[in-house]
Coordinates of all heavy atoms in Angstrom, one line a residue:
F666 N 87.6 94.6 91.5 CA 88.3 93.4 91.4 C 89.6 93.5 90.6 O 90.6 92.9 90.9 CB 87.4 92.3 90.9 CG 86.6 91.6 91.9 CD1 85.5 92.2 92.5 CD2 86.9 90.3 92.3 CE1 84.8 91.6 93.5 CE2 86.1 89.7 93.3 CZ 85.0 90.3 93.9
L667 N 89.5 94.3 89.5 CA 90.7 94.5 88.7 C 91.8 95.3 89.3 O 93.0 95.1 89.1 CB 90.2 95.1 87.3 CG 89.4 94.2 86.4 CD1 88.9 95.0 85.2 CD2 90.2 93.0 85.9
I668 N 91.4 96.3 90.0 CA 92.4 97.3 90.5 C 93.0 96.9 91.9 O 94.1 97.3 92.3 CB 91.8 98.7 90.7 CG1 92.9 99.8 90.5 CG2 91.0 98.9 91.9 CD1 93.5 99.8 89.2
A669 N 92.2 96.0 92.6 CA 92.7 95.6 94.0 C 94.0 95.0 94.0 O 94.8 95.3 94.9 CB 91.6 94.7 94.6
P670 N 94.4 94.0 93.1 CA 95.7 93.4 93.2 C 96.8 94.4 93.1 O 97.9 94.3 93.8 CB 95.7 92.4 92.1 CG 94.2 92.1 91.8 CD 93.5 93.4 92.1
G671 N 96.7 95.4 92.2 CA 97.7 96.4 92.0 C 97.9 97.2 93.2 O 99.0 97.6 93.6
L672 N 96.7 97.6 93.9 CA 96.8 98.4 95.1 C 97.5 97.7 96.2 O 98.3 98.2 96.9 CB 95.4 98.8 95.5 CG 94.7 99.9 94.6 CD1 93.3 100.1 95.1 CD2 95.4 101.2 94.7
L673 N 97.2 96.4 96.3 CA 97.8 95.6 97.4 C 99.3 95.5 97.1 O 100.1 95.7 98.1 CB 97.2 94.2 97.4 CG 97.9 93.2 98.3 CD1 97.7 93.6 99.8 CD2 97.3 91.8 98.1
F674 N 99.7 95.2 95.9 CA 101.1 95.1 95.6 C 101.9 96.4 95.9 O 103.0 96.4 96.4 CB 101.3 94.7 94.1 CG 102.7 94.4 93.8 CD1 103.4 93.3 94.2 CD2 103.4 95.3 92.9 CE1 104.7 93.1 93.9 CE2 104.7 95.1 92.6 CZ 105.4 93.9 93.1
D675 N 101.2 97.5 95.5 CA 101.9 98.8 95.7 C 102.0 99.1 97.2 O 103.0 99.7 97.7 CB 101.1 99.9 95.0 CG 101.9 101.2 94.9 OD1 102.9 101.1 94.3 OD2 101.4 102.2 95.4
L676 N 101.0 98.8 98.0 CA 101.1 99.0 99.5 C 102.2 98.1 100.1 O 102.9 98.6 100.9 CB 99.7 98.7 100.1 CG 98.6 99.7 99.8 CD1 97.3 99.2 100.4 CD2 98.9 101.0 100.4
L677 N 102.3 96.9 99.6 CA 103.3 96.0 100.1 C 104.7 96.5 99.7 O 105.7 96.3 100.4 CB 103.1 94.5 99.6 CG 101.9 93.8 100.2 CD1 101.7 92.5 99.5 CD2 102.0 93.6 101.7
A678 N 104.8 97.0 98.5 CA 106.1 97.5 98.0 C 106.6 98.6 98.8 O 107.8 98.8 98.8 CB 105.9 97.9 96.5
E679 N 105.8 99.4 99.5 CA 106.3 100.5 100.3 C 107.2 100.0 101.4 O 108.0 100.7 102.0 CB 105.1 101.3 100.9 CG 104.3 102.1 99.8 CD 103.2 102.9 100.4 OE1 103.0 102.8 101.7 OE2 102.5 103.6 99.7
R680 N 107.0 98.7 101.8 CA 107.9 98.1 102.8 C 109.3 97.8 102.3 O 110.2 97.6 103.0 CB 107.2 96.8 103.4 CG 105.8 97.0 103.9 CD 105.3 95.7 104.5 NE 103.9 95.9 105.0 CZ 103.2 94.8 105.5 NH1 103.8 93.6 105.5 NH2 102.0 95.1 105.9
R681 N 109.4 97.7 101.0 CA 110.6 97.2 100.4 C 111.5 98.4 99.8 O 112.7 98.2 99.6 CB 110.4 96.2 99.2 CG 109.8 94.9 99.7 CD 109.6 94.0 98.5 NE 108.4 94.3 97.7 CZ 108.4 94.9 96.6 NH1 109.6 95.3 96.1 NH2 107.3 95.1 95.9
R682 N 110.8 99.5 99.5 CA 111.6 100.5 98.8 C 111.5 101.8 99.6 O 110.6 102.1 100.3 CB 111.0 100.8 97.4 CG 109.6 101.3 97.4 CD 109.1 101.7 96.0 NE 107.8 102.2 96.0 CZ 106.7 101.5 95.6 NH1 106.8 100.3 95.2 NH2 105.5 102.1 95.7
A683 N 112.5 102.6 99.4 CA 112.5 104.0 100.0 C 111.6 104.9 99.2 O 111.6 104.9 98.0 CB 113.9 104.5 100.0
G684 N 110.7 105.6 99.9 CA 109.8 106.4 99.2 C 110.5 107.7 98.6 O 111.5 108.1 99.1
R685 N 110.0 108.1 97.5 CA 110.5 109.3 96.9 C 109.3 110.0 96.3 O 108.3 109.4 95.8 CB 111.5 109.0 95.9 CG 111.1 108.2 94.7 CD 112.2 108.0 93.7 NE 111.8 107.3 92.5 CZ 111.8 106.0 92.4 NH1 112.3 105.2 93.4 NH2 111.4 105.4 91.3
P686 N 109.4 111.4 96.1 CA 108.3 112.1 95.5 C 108.0 111.6 94.1 O 109.0 111.4 93.3 CB 108.7 113.5 95.6 CG 109.7 113.6 96.7 CD 110.4 112.3 96.6
E687 N 106.8 111.4 93.7 CA 106.5 111.0 92.3 C 105.1 111.5 92.0 O 104.3 111.8 92.8 CB 106.5 109.5 92.2 CG 105.6 108.7 93.0 CD 105.7 107.2 92.8 OE1 106.5 106.8 92.1 OE2 104.9 106.5 93.5
S688 N 104.9 111.6 90.7 CA 103.6 112.2 90.2 C 102.5 111.2 90.4 O 102.7 110.0 90.5 CB 103.8 112.6 88.7 OG 103.9 111.4 87.9
A689 N 101.3 111.7 90.4 CA 100.1 110.9 90.5 C 100.0 109.9 89.3 O 99.6 108.8 89.4 CB 98.9 111.7 90.7
F690 N 100.4 110.4 88.1 CA 100.3 109.6 86.9 C 101.3 108.4 87.0 O 100.9 107.3 86.7 CB 100.7 110.5 85.7 CG 100.8 109.7 84.4 CD1 99.6 109.3 83.7 CD2 102.0 109.3 83.9 CE1 99.7 108.6 82.6 CE2 102.1 108.6 82.8 CZ 100.9 108.2 82.1
R691 N 102.5 108.6 87.5 CA 103.4 107.5 87.7 C 102.9 106.5 88.7 O 103.0 105.3 88.4 CB 104.8 108.1 88.1 CG 105.9 107.0 88.3 CD 107.1 107.6 88.8 NE 108.2 106.6 89.0 CZ 109.1 106.3 88.0 NH1 109.0 106.9 86.9 NH2 110.0 105.4 88.3
E692 N 102.4 107.0 89.8 CA 101.9 106.0 90.8 C 100.7 105.2 90.3 O 100.6 104.0 90.4 CB 101.5 106.8 92.0 CG 100.9 105.9 93.2 CD 100.6 106.7 94.4 OE1 100.7 108.0 94.4 OE2 100.2 106.1 95.4
A693 N 99.7 105.9 89.6 CA 98.6 105.3 89.0 C 99.0 104.3 87.9 O 98.4 103.2 87.8 CB 97.6 106.3 88.4
S694 N 100.0 104.6 87.1 CA 100.4 103.7 86.0 C 101.0 102.5 86.6 O 100.8 101.4 86.1 CB 101.5 104.5 85.2 OG 100.9 105.6 84.6
R695 N 101.8 102.6 87.7 CA 102.3 101.4 88.4 C 101.2 100.5 88.9 O 101.3 99.3 88.8 CB 103.3 101.8 89.5 CG 104.0 100.7 90.1 CD 105.0 101.2 91.1 NE 104.4 101.9 92.2 CZ 104.6 103.2 92.4 NH1 105.3 103.9 91.6 NH2 104.0 103.8 93.5
V696 N 100.2 101.1 89.5 CA 99.1 100.3 90.0 C 98.4 99.6 88.9 O 98.0 98.4 89.0 CB 98.2 101.2 90.9 CG1 96.9 100.4 91.2 CG2 98.9 101.7 92.1
V697 N 98.1 100.3 87.8 CA 97.4 99.7 86.7 C 98.2 98.6 86.1 O 97.6 97.5 85.8 CB 97.1 100.8 85.6 CG1 96.5 100.2 84.4 CG2 96.0 101.8 86.2
L698 N 99.5 98.8 85.9 CA 100.3 97.7 85.2 C 100.4 96.5 86.1 O 100.3 95.3 85.7 CB 101.7 98.2 85.0 CG 101.8 99.3 83.8 CD1 103.2 99.8 83.7 CD2 101.3 98.6 82.5
A699 N 100.5 96.7 87.4 CA 100.6 95.6 88.4 C 99.2 94.8 88.4 O 99.2 93.6 88.4 CB 100.9 96.0 89.8
S700 N 98.1 95.6 88.4 CA 96.8 95.0 88.4 C 96.6 94.2 87.1 O 96.0 93.1 87.2 CB 95.7 96.1 88.5 OG 95.8 96.8 89.7
L701 N 97.0 94.7 86.0 CA 96.9 94.0 84.7 C 97.6 92.6 84.8 O 97.1 91.6 84.4 CB 97.4 94.8 83.6 CG 97.3 94.2 82.2 CD1 95.9 93.9 81.8 CD2 98.0 95.2 81.2
A702 N 98.8 92.7 85.3 CA 99.6 91.4 85.4 C 99.0 90.4 86.3 O 98.8 89.2 85.9 CB 101.1 91.8 85.8
F703 N 98.6 90.8 87.5 CA 98.1 89.8 88.5 C 96.7 89.4 88.1 O 96.3 88.2 88.3 CB 98.1 90.4 89.9 CG 99.5 90.8 90.4 CD1 99.8 92.0 90.8 CD2 100.5 89.8 90.3 CE1 101.0 92.3 91.3 CE2 101.7 90.1 90.8 CZ 102.0 91.3 91.2
T704 N 95.9 90.3 87.5 CA 94.5 89.9 87.0 C 94.6 88.9 85.9 O 93.8 88.0 85.8 CB 93.8 91.2 86.6 OG1 93.6 92.0 87.7 CG2 92.4 90.8 86.1
S705 N 95.6 89.1 85.0 CA 95.8 88.2 83.9 C 96.1 86.8 84.4 O 95.7 85.8 83.9 CB 97.0 88.7 83.0 OG 96.7 89.9 82.4
A706 N 96.9 86.7 85.5 CA 97.2 85.4 86.1 C 95.9 84.8 86.6 O 95.6 83.6 86.4 CB 98.1 85.5 87.3
G707 N 95.0 85.6 87.2 CA 93.7 85.0 87.7 C 92.8 84.6 86.6 O 92.2 83.5 86.6
I708 N 92.8 85.4 85.5 CA 92.0 85.0 84.3 C 92.5 83.7 83.7 O 91.8 82.9 83.2 CB 92.0 86.1 83.3 CG1 91.2 87.3 83.9 CG2 91.3 85.7 82.0 CD1 91.2 88.6 83.0
A709 N 93.8 83.6 83.7 CA 94.4 82.4 83.1 C 94.0 81.1 83.9 O 93.7 80.1 83.3 CB 96.0 82.5 83.1
V710 N 93.9 81.2 85.2 CA 93.5 80.1 86.0 C 92.0 79.8 85.7 O 91.6 78.6 85.6 CB 93.7 80.4 87.5 CG1 93.0 79.3 88.4 CG2 95.2 80.5 87.8

C-alpha cells in the first residue's frame, strides 16, 4: 500500500518525460519519495 502510489506515478511519468539511462538507486529513490508524499496525503485524510 505504501509503495503502490509511487510506482503508479512513476509509470504515468514515463508518458511525460523522455527516458534516459539512470541508476537503480535513483529510480528507487524517486519512487520512494513519491510514495511518501502521496501516502502522507492519504494518512492526512
Side-chain angles (χ1 to χ4, degrees):
F666 274 72
L667 290 173
I668 206 69
L672 288 174
L673 173 64
F674 184 71
D675 197 57
L676 291 173
L677 292 173
E679 291 182 359
R680 304 179 181 179
R681 295 183 280 101
R682 63 171 183 260
R685 62 176 184 270
E687 60 180 3
S688 66
F690 175 78
R691 181 184 179 90
E692 182 178 0
S694 298
R695 185 175 61 249
V696 171
V697 170
L698 290 175
S700 295
L701 179 62
F703 297 127
T704 298
S705 297
I708 293 175
V710 171

